Amino acid sequence: MPHISALYGAARHMGDAQAAEDLVQETYLRAWKYFESFDPGTNCRAWLFRILRNVWVDRWRKARLEIPLPDESGVALEPYYDWEGGLLGNEYSEEVGQALSELPEEYRWAVLLADVEEFSYQQIAGIMQCPIGTVMSRINRGRRMLARLIRSGAEGSPESKRKKVRDPLEKI
Amino acid sequence: MDCKEFREILDLYMDGELAAEGVAAANAHVSECPGCRAVHEELSRLRRSVQQIVREHNAPSLLVDRIRRQLMPPWRRVLAPAALLILVLFALAAAGASPGARGLVARSMEFVAFHLDPPRLVELEGQLVCRDCELKALYGAKTMCLLKGHRGALKTADGKIWNLMEGEHTEALVHDDSLRGKTIHIRGKIYRRAGCVEVQSYRIL
């Protein structure tokens, strides 16, 4: 079944194993139901990811009444990474998994779609249904926040240290 | 391009979102600046690490099966059992027509049985009989038992006569005439294709 592992991999990082199975199953059922709306000239994987994202929004985000991220479009990008000087260790897979799970969900989506699925910004904007400028800022901030979280994890920091990692949008 | 400019377009550079001239300028800067090269490499490593983490989750095969079943068109869900029913009815009707047709049906059913029931460990219960004498009684088969001696086999309640493979546990079952007619419980491996049981243990009931 094409693309199912990619969808499951992403879904698995947006919820636990059971939630991921439900998400992917519902995604395929919706895709089957609305297949007529798929334009054969476009990317099927991106179309499926858009459905996955919609299912996720419908089922989980609304249910939890999560406070959405503030509008990022007017906030300047962060040009510098604060890991300069080789702050990351050689092996940081474990920290990456943990850090990814701590990343705010909208940033996590952006990072997964850009870094793992390697969609273009245009496609990510279609999947996340937001302007390209928002995609750019989410990827930009998501990566930097991920790097900070990994670093705090790699330094063996306790939870208290982790909590110091702020959303870059948060007002000081 | 200087370091500040490069850092500002680093994400776009990484994600292949820059125009050709931007890529050329960024490439030139990376080749000259060790600091920016290191940052670019770290970001590439981070991306590979995220990819590795996410791609280690494969969709469970049960999930794939479940989705496949659910995506089966409704007409197929109805038609599959209906087709099987029609086939069985047709086979039953054909079985009454002639011995040749009955043979064909029986062979087809055997063929299905061979594939449905691969060799496996089972427990069987039945009466120990002489195979050839049973065939003589049932069909008038010409037997040589009086000359060559009887040969024990297990007749189960469904009328099937199972041959017993020669082995360390079967000497008495196959060749001891005093056991004939007794009810036997056998544990062993069945080979449906040969109508045969490889006895691992047995007890006389």
Side-chain angles (χ1 to χ4, degrees), chain A residues 1 4-5 8-10 12-13 21 24-25 28-29 32 79-81 83-84 88-93 96-97 100 111-112 114-116 118 120-121 136 139-140 143-144 146 150, chain B residues 3-4 7-8 10-12 14-15 17 35 38-47 49-55 57-60 62-64 66-68 70-74:
Chain A
M1 194 172 276
I4 192 166
S5 281
Y8 181 78
R12 190 66 187 77
H13 284 274
E21 289 199 18
V24 173
Q25 181 171 326
Y28 273 92
L29 292 180
W32 179 259
Y80 286 87
Y81 284 84
W83 60 39
E84 289 175 62
L88 294 176
N90 287 326
E91 300 292 332
Y92 49 80
S93 290
V96 174
L100 202 55
V111 169
L112 289 173
D115 284 347
V116 182
E118 299 181 348
S120 68
Y121 287 6
M136 286 169 67
I139 291 171
N140 173 271
R143 284 177 179 154
R144 281 149 188 78
L146 188 61
I150 292 166
Chain B
C3 293
K4 184 174 180 296
R7 304 298 173 96
E8 282 170 357
L10 179 53
D11 290 297
L12 299 170
M14 278 279 300
D15 295 327
E17 296 283 340
V39 171
H40 179 247
E41 281 166 9
E42 285 291 310
L43 194 54
S44 302
R45 284 182 55 218
L46 176 65
R47 162 177 274 196
S49 198
V50 172
Q51 285 175 348
Q52 188 186 327
I53 287 277
V54 174
R55 288 176 184 165
H57 293 292
N58 285 317
L62 283 175
L63 172 66
V64 178
R66 195 163 69 233
I67 294 173
R68 277 214 181 98
Q70 289 186 339
L71 296 187
M72 191 189 280

Side-chain angles (χ1 to χ4, degrees), chain B residues 108-122:
Chain B
S108 307
M109 288 169 76
E110 262 186 350
F111 179 81
V112 172
F114 297 157
H115 287 83
L116 284 180
D117 194 14
R120 64 200 168 94
L121 201 61
V122 294

Side-chain angles (χ1 to χ4, degrees), chain B residues 95-111:
Chain B
S98 72
R102 285 200 291 275
L104 183 67
V105 171
R107 274 204 305 281
S108 307
M109 288 169 76
E110 262 186 350
F111 179 81

Side-chain angles (χ1 to χ4, degrees), chain B residues 18-39:
Chain B
L18 282 183
E21 58 268 33
V23 174
N27 283 342
H29 180 76
V30 164
S31 65
E32 289 167 1
C33 175
C36 288
R37 192 159 58 239
V39 171

